[in-house]
Amino acid sequence: MATTITKTETLVGKRIRRREDPRLITGTATYVEDIQMPGMHYAAIVRSPHAAANIRSIDVKAAAAAPGVVAVFTGKDTEKVGPVPCGASLPDLRVPHHHIMAIDRVYYVGHAVAVVVATDRYLARDAADLLEIDYDVLPAVADPEKALAPGAPAVHPQWPDNTAFNYHQEGGDIAKAFADADVVVKQRITSQRLVPNAMETRGVVAEWRGADRQLNLYTSTQVPHLVRTLVAGMLGLEENRMRVIAPEVGGGFGSKLNIYAEEALMGFVAMKIGKPVKWIESRRENFLTTIHGRGHVDYYEVAAKKDGTILGIKLKIIQDLGAYHQLLTPAIPTLSVLMMPGLYKTKNVSADIVGVFTNCVPTDAYRGAGRPEATHGIERMVDILADELGMDPAEIRLKNFVANEEFPYPTATGLTYDSGNYAAPLDKAMALADYSKILQEQVEARKQGKLVGIGISTYGEICAIGPSPATPAGGWESATVKIEPSGTVTVMTGTCQTGQGEETTFAQIAADELGVDIDNILVLRGDTSIVQYGIGTFGSRATAIGGTALYFALQELKAKVKLFGAMLLESDDVTFSGGQVTCNKSGKTKGLAEIAGATYRAMKLPPNTEPGLVATHFWEPPNFTFPFGAHIVITDIDKETGDIAIRRYIAVDDCGNIINPLIVDGQVHGGVAQGLGQALWEQAVYDDNGQLITGEFMDYAMPRAHMMPWIESSHTITPTNVNPLGVKGVGEAGTIGCSPAVVNSVVDALSHLGVRHIDMPLTPEKIWKLANAGGTN
Amino acid sequence: MFPQTFDYTAPTTLDEAVKLLGGGAKALAGGMSLIPMMKLRLASPEHLVDLGRIKELNYIREESGALHIGATATHYAVESSPLVRTKCPLLAETAAAIGDVQVRNMGTLGGAVAHADPSADYPAALQALEAKIVLRGAGGDRTVSAAEFFVDAFTTVLNEGEMVREVIVPVDTSGVSYQKVPQPASGFAMVGIAARVKKAGGKVTEARIGVTGLTNSSFRATAAEKALEGTNGSAADIQKAAALVAQGSDANSDIHASADYRKHLAVVYTGRALIAAMGRAQ
Amino acid sequence: MKIHLTINGKNYSHDVEPRLLLIHYLRENAALTGSHVGCETSLCGACTIELDGKAVKSCTMFAVQADGAKITTIEGLANDGKLHGVQEAFWNEHGLQCGFCTPGMIMASKQIIDRNHAPSDAEIRHGLEGNLCRCTGYQHIVNAVKAAAAAAGK
């Protein structure tokens, strides 16, 4: 009688279209801004136009009396709310008290000063204009190197040196490495500030149900559980009285891996007015107040032998922190230090970080978070070294790669690279590029005065972040799998997708493990009242850690299904596959639905077994994973204008096993677009007064369809042994591999003119000047 | 994102519109520049007169050797009009280079002209075409040349209460080209060059070069034009002429391009536009 | 001001302030939240809808300007539960990740195909100039538009 679902086809590894798409392509998904509630109120935040100023007075009378306004709160009114938390800890770290609104002094343009709450968004905005704020404007500093100069304005008056921390790490014997060197190359390399610009800006809806002491907070976040724990703490609310929901999230890229003042502020407002309140960040606010990425000035020195063997690397990072520490701000450059040897086996490194306060919005994790900066640095330095030694850039890389038999490889910075075959993607990319032919073509082109560049980057990255001891908030991930009485399967994951497609990939994993049709599986996430605790989606961790937690939860369930199946079949020799338990002797079967029903009906239970079919697994990874790859970029430069045309973009990425190639390709393409954005167009430019010059899409150049090259994406596959799925993670690969390949290509095109390095973005004007004058910039 | 309150009137006749404008109202055409400014509260007019419902302003027609284009003809209408494409291809080509598809669907010729953004595309073509702009005020129509019309950044000869009614461009048989360097973020012209060339008997008989983006106002590069006229239009002749395009100009400078680079681009793109135009000249 | 519009084949009528942006009218008065707001400078295209057959940015237009117009939003593309060809192609080709830009991207893509039955890659990319996507790098979107055009031509 039992209808059994027999499934023979496996889904892992297949290019299947996504299960989350129907709601997204029909306009029926629910993002924060789409949430409506009876009695909804709207908040407009009044922000500082100055980068540094004392607040003499705030007059709220006119605003408070304006039509539709129900409340106006200033920083003083919110004084009892706890500070915006910094989760990173470093020795002797200076942590400024980061109140949710400025109280008597503002520290950057966009700093929240007051909030106006009204019955209508237009009215809230009207009233915001009526606030009278008297500022005593102070000198500001927006450039980290200028902030370190003696006599610079102090961002925080109590710390006149603007230094939040000094960090030092070394491995091996750096002095000997440099003493033994035949050659030392040095270069200052910057990674400019970038604006993450998720297409959905941040937004919060807060609903206070006073009688229940229940705060419901809808927020556009990558980390709903962390928001609950930390914002409840800020508001002095019991954690179990707060529910955080991340509905559909329109992109994050690290910018929503954070705890923001507005999340607590809206909770505060809702609790005060007893009505739901909505705040949707404008794009202008997003530019000014959502974290930025990068912001490095790096000083590199690389010591090597004449044959190209890298002996040691010295690095000094000046990290622009901005005015405050957001959740992970000071930790980001430490990831750069971990990543600084790249794929190369040198055991001698020395790194120093100076964390510098500036009168700018804080920096924090943005796609790659510390690793793009490090990869850009080492990949540029290897090219500079190759140039110095007259070696081919591919050859010098191959010479220094960690060899296949050396894995697991302990690095100079204390990591253990899990698995690798670093030459494989480089060989493949060179074959795709027809490397020797293009080299020849370049020679010919130069004879005709044409500028053609060939750029290689061979990157490594630290993914699946990460083992708990190496993270501020726990690096595990959780999954619960429920097989419902009817046999349908519900997965609850602690990851929280912002476009990565986990509703599909996780369903693929579950469908294969349980042998059921993928349409019987539902993946839920992003609601702290539905999902057991979780960490979230960032650091290319969702599949590698969250997927593995799911895998182990599924194993527990499978064992239980087998136990009940055996009981129902009255056999002690059964197998579970294809969605049914089969008695190996009689050949009789019991389908999953029937077994599930029996577990809940519980007429009879196997010995020492509880009713129901639910399993939860919190998986702690034993190590990071270390994906790698090679990107080759061929550029043609218009000498007359400095325009860079990308003739070919070849990306060969090794992210271990692939669950869904269609999704992985999408991740690579999107990653490359952001890497290319940094390499060629994007920059957050503050003037000397701390005004953000590129504070709208009018001036901040985002990659658009007509600016992007065709990306030739392919893979090599070297599974990891860190997790049973063999997956490494791919969310950040494209970004990390991209920028050095592009810059190496353009520098290569100009190298015969004496150009050795160019800082990003490679604007046509810079290139035009170099192409016509030579020298470094 | 939330403009201030304003009064709104959508007249259906030109006379009504002019009357309202005379009372201090601000004209709303496609709104592609005005509305974003209102959303950012950089502009807060008290009274908007929507020209969108005035049928007598929306036309493209040929009359006695010229094309007459109503103020509310959209960029897309100009770009796709068979009449403009065949009889004044420079204007169609320029219209197609403006903004993006959605902007061209809504934005209007009259609105763009009246706004006089120094980085707008149209002014280059209008200068090169020696277009006439018909203005309507309480006292009736007056006609000015494009060269007179554009005064400075966001400044034209339009008086209070006056509006752009029509743009007149010649039926044009020259070889033409519009070449633009888009600002990478906004797509506006960092430099835009509109070129027209006529040739006869192997000589350049007429050259017209309109420049936008370089300085605070569009202009005709007459020195460069003169240098080209009477020559064979060889590559060397073009280079010599193009070199004069930015001479003496007070070029704009911003994070996207310094004044020197803008001038350089103007020279390079004048050369490219002239070469393309020359190739199309009969 | 009283306005009357036809949206996705249905009649709507509301009294609105002149300053109400069309995107806000669609999202709040008409409760059609598929079109999104991604910027205030008319440069992201997330709010793109079709107005009398033309793709326009509904954030750069007042609702009163649209009085009497026929509007199609992303919600009105599918017919009787059957996806529009462009929607189907975005799904098949993985032309979206976070989905926020997608409604506007699909509406702009529809305009490309309506005006050009066999667009080249360059024409597609040019046609999408007014729409930002931060997730996909646009490649799968280009594939989707090509696939949709090919399917429509069959």
Side-chain angles (χ1 to χ4, degrees):
Chain A
M1 54 139 279
T3 47
T4 54
I5 303 158
T6 310
K7 185 177 144 298
T8 47
E9 193 198 11
T10 57
L11 294 175
V12 167
K14 299 264 159 54
R15 285 178 93 83
I16 62 170
R17 64 184 189 173
R18 298 198 315 173
R19 294 153 54 75
E20 39 276 88
D21 287 359
R23 64 177 183 266
L24 299 169
I25 55 177
T26 54
T28 51
T30 304
Y31 297 86
V32 171
E33 190 173 5
D34 303 334
I35 294 165
Q36 275 305 355
M37 291 179 186
M40 185 73 92
H41 283 59
Y42 301 87
I45 296 174
V46 181
R47 298 182 180 279
S48 170
H50 307 294
N54 286 319
I55 301 172
R56 285 205 195 96
S57 65
I58 305 177
D59 185 346
V60 305
K61 273 195 244 66
V69 172
V70 301
V72 181
F73 301 104
T74 66
K76 281 206 174 71
D77 299 318
T78 62
E79 237 167 348
K80 285 191 185 141
V81 177
V84 178
C86 168
S89 55
L90 293 171
D92 302 320
L93 178 67
R94 289 168 170 172
V95 182
H97 187 86
H98 185 178
H99 198 69
I100 62 167
M101 290 202 284
I103 295 177
D104 45 22
R105 183 177 168 123
V106 293
Y107 291 86
Y108 62 97
V109 172
H111 200 163
V113 174
V115 58
V116 176
V117 187
T119 52
D120 174 277
R121 288 188 294 177
Y122 284 75
L123 294 178
R125 180 67 184 78
D126 287 345
D129 281 352
L130 301 175
L131 229 68
E132 284 176 35
I133 306 165
D134 186 11
Y135 292 103
D136 172 21
V137 180
L138 302 165
V141 62
D143 176 285
E145 288 193 297
K146 286 183 186 163
L148 288 176
V155 175
H156 297 279
Q158 66 273 37
W159 301 312
D161 62 2
N162 289 321
T163 301
F165 66 90
N166 284 290
Y167 175 90
H168 179 77
Q169 184 177 335
E170 61 177 70
D173 188 341
I174 194 71
K176 182 170 186 307
F178 275 74
D180 291 350
D182 296 325
V183 57
V184 172
V185 286
K186 301 179 184 184
Q187 184 62 49
R188 175 184 188 270
I189 297 174
T190 63
S191 278
Q192 77 275 28
R193 258 187 188 253
L194 300 176
V195 183
N197 269 323
M199 289 317 300
E200 184 207 20
T201 58
R202 292 185 293 123
V204 184
V205 169
E207 179 198 21
W208 174 241
R209 299 186 174 190
D212 295 332
R213 286 189 60 68
Q214 171 74 32
L215 181 65
N216 295 329
L217 197 81
Y218 300 77
T219 181
S220 184
T221 185
Q222 300 168 231
V223 287
H225 285 90
L226 297 185
V227 170
R228 182 173 71 146
T229 300
L230 294 168
V231 173
M234 292 163 76
L235 293 170
L237 186 67
E238 307 90 295
E239 188 177 357
N240 58 2
R241 297 287 178 171
M242 182 158 170
R243 176 182 183 182
V244 173
I245 298 169
E248 207 72 59
V249 179
F253 316 112
S255 72
K256 295 171 182 172
L257 157 58
N258 229 307
I259 308 299
Y260 283 101
E262 293 86 353
E263 289 170 325
L265 181 59
M266 290 308 119
F268 169 87
V269 169
M271 290 165 81
K272 282 282 180 195
I273 67 171
K275 294 280 184 193
V277 62
K278 183 190 280 190
W279 168 75
I280 301 297
E281 185 183 52
S282 70
R283 181 57 62 185
R284 177 77 180 151
E285 284 178 299
N286 183 265
F287 270 100
L288 290 175
T289 71
T290 291
I291 62 103
H292 289 178
R294 322 284 188 254
H296 270 222
V297 181
D298 296 332
Y299 291 86
Y300 272 94
E301 292 180 42
V302 173
K305 299 300 272 185
K306 255 185 282 189
D307 68 356
T309 305
I310 297 170
L311 298 177
I313 307 165
K314 283 188 202 168
L315 168 61
K316 180 178 178 182
I317 299 173
I318 296 173
Q319 171 72 52
D320 177 357
L321 301 167
Y324 287 112
H325 303 318
Q326 277 283 346
L327 190 64
L328 300 171
T329 302
I332 303 302
T334 65
L335 285 169
S336 306
V337 170
L338 290 178
M339 196 71 251
M340 67 184 271
L343 301 182
Y344 311 113
K345 52 177 121 182
T346 180
K347 290 282 191 179
N348 308 306
V349 299
S350 168
D352 289 282
I353 308 171
V354 188
V356 187
F357 290 120
T358 56
N359 288 107
C360 302
V361 72
T363 53
D364 202 322
Y366 168 55
R367 204 169 193 164
R371 292 154 287 155
E373 297 90 320
T375 303
H376 191 77
I378 188 63
E379 288 304 291
R380 283 268 50 245
M381 290 310 293
V382 168
D383 258 33
I384 289 169
L385 178 62
D387 185 52
E388 183 80 20
L389 296 172
M391 285 178 78
D392 180 89
E395 184 195 346
I396 198 167
R397 286 173 166 83
L398 287 164
K399 185 172 192 70
N400 285 285
F401 279 158
V402 174
N404 292 359
E405 61 278 8
E406 292 175 287
F407 293 97
Y409 185 78
T411 76
T413 56
L415 300 171
T416 304
Y417 287 172
D418 54 345
S419 63
N421 179 357
Y422 295 162
L426 180 56
D427 288 343
K428 190 169 178 182
M430 287 167 71
L432 287 167
D434 209 340
Y435 190 69
S436 49
K437 188 165 159 239
I438 186 73
L439 283 178
Q440 196 48 46
E441 221 181 291
Q442 186 186 40
V443 172
E444 292 305 315
R446 279 186 181 167
K447 282 184 197 156
Q448 297 163 34
K450 288 185 186 155
L451 303 175
V452 175
I454 305 154
I456 297 176
S457 90
T458 49
Y459 70 92
E461 56 166 329
I462 308 167
C463 280
I465 292 175
S468 294
T471 62
W476 47 269
E477 196 45 87
S478 75
T480 294
V481 185
K482 271 201 297 188
I483 302 178
E484 318 284 358
S486 60
T488 59
V489 180
T490 306
V491 172
M492 281 150 285
T493 173
T495 66
C496 185
Q497 68 168 356
T498 58
Q500 295 85 349
E502 280 122 60
E503 285 178 47
T504 303
T505 46
F506 284 18
Q508 286 176 269
I509 293 168
D512 278 5
E513 288 300 319
L514 295 175
V516 301
D517 193 281
I518 195 166
D519 289 336
N520 280 344
I521 297 166
L522 179 69
V523 178
L524 300 176
R525 57 119 196 101
D527 183 337
T528 60
S529 287
I530 291 178
V531 176
Q532 67 293 343
Y533 207 88
I535 301 297
T537 292
F538 55 87
S540 302
R541 70 191 304 278
T543 306
I545 308 183
T548 301
L550 170 62
Y551 174 85
F552 282 115
L554 287 164
Q555 304 315 310
E556 283 175 41
L557 266 193
K558 279 163 70 177
K560 195 165 178 183
V561 167
K562 215 170 140 183
L563 216 54
F564 270 91
M567 180 192 78
L568 294 174
L569 289 164
E570 297 175 332
S571 165
D572 54 6
D573 181 11
V574 296
T575 41
F576 175 40
S577 84
Q580 58 188 6
V581 177
T582 305
C583 171
N584 294 334
K585 289 177 190 141
S586 68
K588 283 184 188 164
T589 62
K590 290 284 175 190
L592 193 59
E594 194 185 344
I595 295 168
T599 68
Y600 287 94
R601 183 63 188 84
M603 290 293 283
K604 197 178 158 199
L605 299 171
N608 304 315
T609 307
E610 296 159 3
L613 269 184
V614 183
T616 296
H617 193 92
F618 281 50
W619 189 63
E620 171 63 31
N623 190 3
F624 300 104
T625 61
F626 299 90
F628 54 91
H631 289 201
I632 294 185
V633 175
I634 301 167
T635 52
D636 293 288
I637 292 174
D638 182 334
K639 195 172 176 183
E640 231 181 352
T641 61
D643 284 328
I644 297 163
I646 294 180
R647 190 196 304 182
R648 292 187 71 188
Y649 195 108
I650 296 160
V652 183
D653 299 284
D654 192 323
C655 57
N657 289 337
I658 291 175
I659 309 279
N660 186 329
L662 190 61
I663 288 177
V664 166
D665 283 352
Q667 290 294 314
V668 170
H669 296 164
V672 167
Q674 289 181 9
L676 211 56
Q678 169 155 32
L680 298 182
W681 306 297
E682 300 180 34
Q683 51 179 337
V685 180
Y686 282 92
D687 72 9
D688 286 343
N689 298 317
Q691 295 291 338
L692 184 59
I693 305 296
T694 52
E696 276 286 4
F697 289 147
M698 288 296 287
D699 283 303
Y700 188 90
M702 296 273 282
R704 288 177 185 268
H706 66 285
M707 297 152 83
M708 286 296 297
W710 188 259
I711 300 158
E712 303 169 47
S713 173
S714 62
H715 300 275
T716 60
I717 292 176
T718 309
T720 180
N721 50 20
V722 172
N723 62 64
L725 300 173
V727 299
K728 288 193 171 186
V730 73
E732 296 155 299
T735 305
I736 293 170
C738 176
S739 74
V742 173
V743 176
N744 285 345
S745 183
V746 174
V747 170
D748 179 54
L750 301 173
S751 60
H752 61 297
L753 304 173
V755 174
R756 197 169 87 147
H757 176 69
I758 315 170
D759 272 328
M760 302 180 287
L762 307 180
T763 60
E765 181 165 0
K766 274 187 204 172
I767 304 307
W768 167 65
K769 282 183 179 154
L770 290 169
N772 293 284
T776 58
N777 80 333
Chain B
M1 195 62 206
F2 309 103
Q4 283 181 358
T5 53
F6 54 84
D7 292 329
Y8 172 85
T9 319
T12 52
T13 68
L14 188 53
D15 287 344
E16 279 178 82
V18 171
K19 203 177 286 174
L20 291 159
L21 293 172
K26 167 105 184 146
L28 171 68
M32 296 296 98
S33 296
L34 180 59
I35 296 175
M37 280 164 60
M38 291 175 70
K39 290 195 292 183
L40 294 167
R41 297 199 172 197
L42 299 171
S44 297
E46 286 175 11
H47 188 177
L48 280 188
V49 178
D50 185 354
L51 307 180
R53 292 178 197 277
I54 304 173
K55 291 211 176 71
E56 58 187 302
L57 277 177
N58 190 359
Y59 55 87
I60 299 174
R61 60 178 170 247
E62 186 179 358
E63 259 171 45
S64 47
L67 298 188
H68 294 245
I69 305 173
T72 61
T74 62
H75 309 327
Y76 178 68
V78 173
E79 158 193 6
S80 61
S81 153
L83 198 57
V84 184
R85 289 166 74 106
T86 53
K87 305 229 164 154
C88 191
L90 179 60
L91 197 66
E93 194 178 318
T94 306
I98 299 171
D100 53 54
V101 175
Q102 294 97 316
V103 165
R104 294 196 293 276
N105 280 341
M106 275 300 283
T108 66
L109 175 58
V113 167
H115 187 54
D117 190 308
S119 306
D121 297 286
Y122 268 139
L126 299 182
Q127 296 279 8
L129 289 161
E130 298 172 88
K132 295 192 180 87
I133 297 163
V134 182
L135 316 180
R136 167 64 71 86
D141 283 350
R142 65 177 174 125
T143 302
V144 297
S145 69
E148 294 169 283
F149 181 81
F150 297 106
V151 175
D152 205 341
F154 307 105
T155 309
T156 67
V157 298
L158 276 169
N159 292 321
E160 286 283 302
E162 220 176 12
M163 59 174 276
V164 172
R165 183 175 75 73
E166 179 181 87
V167 172
I168 305 170
V169 291
V171 168
D172 183 27
T173 55
S174 346
V176 299
S177 175
Y178 179 63
Q179 302 269 338
K180 161 185 188 178
V181 186
Q183 195 256 54
S186 69
F188 274 88
M190 292 205 301
V191 166
I193 307 290
R196 286 172 63 214
V197 182
K198 278 188 188 156
K199 279 179 88 171
K203 297 276 182 203
V204 175
T205 55
E206 187 180 295
R208 293 291 178 270
I209 301 165
V211 182
T212 189
L214 181 64
T215 59
N216 266 346
S217 183
S218 62
F219 63 92
R220 244 183 74 192
T222 45
E225 292 171 359
K226 282 210 187 81
L228 194 61
E229 284 171 353
T231 70
N232 299 328
S234 68
D237 294 332
I238 287 174
Q239 290 319 315
K240 241 185 259 172
L244 301 173
V245 77
Q247 230 174 35
S249 63
D250 184 11
N252 287 327
S253 177
D254 58 26
I255 61 155
H256 303 289
S258 69
D260 281 348
Y261 183 56
R262 265 194 169 78
K263 285 187 184 178
H264 170 75
L265 288 176
V267 171
V268 171
Y269 279 84
T270 299
R272 291 179 184 187
L274 285 171
I275 287 167
M278 204 70 77
R280 295 177 191 169
Q282 284 137 4
Chain C
M1 242 187 101
K2 188 92 169 172
I3 58 169
H4 306 271
L5 301 94
T6 308
I7 308 172
N8 303 332
K10 277 196 211 159
N11 294 323
Y12 289 80
S13 181
H14 287 93
D15 205 3
V16 300
E17 266 195 290
R19 67 166 162 169
L20 183 70
L21 295 167
L22 180 58
I23 181 70
H24 291 149
Y25 178 86
L26 293 172
R27 292 179 48 81
E28 279 153 42
N29 300 61
L32 295 165
T33 56
S35 311
H36 298 139
V37 177
C39 74
E40 47 271 351
T41 49
S42 204
L43 284 165
C44 85
C47 63
T48 301
I49 57 152
E50 197 175 276
L51 179 109
D52 293 331
K54 289 191 218 168
V56 303
K57 291 174 181 171
S58 62
C59 78
T60 312
M61 191 169 177
F62 297 110
V64 289
Q65 287 176 278
D67 185 21
K70 263 175 106 168
I71 287 173
T72 306
T73 69
I74 187 71
E75 290 94 336
L77 272 195
N79 201 347
D80 275 341
K82 190 180 172 337
L83 294 175
H84 186 277
V86 177
Q87 291 173 310
E88 190 76 34
F90 267 68
W91 190 7
N92 290 336
E93 301 295 329
H94 187 29
L96 61 147
Q97 290 178 27
C98 82
F100 194 78
C101 76
T102 307
M105 202 59 90
I106 287 176
M107 297 309 289
S109 300
K110 178 176 180 290
Q111 178 91 97
I112 294 171
I113 296 170
D114 286 349
R115 287 181 178 172
N116 180 352
H117 297 307
S120 66
D121 277 24
E123 286 167 335
I124 293 167
R125 288 176 186 271
H126 185 53
L128 296 173
E129 263 175 309
N131 292 71
L132 282 175
C133 168
R134 193 57 153 167
C135 295
T136 63
Y138 304 97
Q139 193 150 315
H140 283 162
I141 294 176
V142 173
N143 289 348
V145 179
K146 262 195 291 195
K154 271 180 199 157

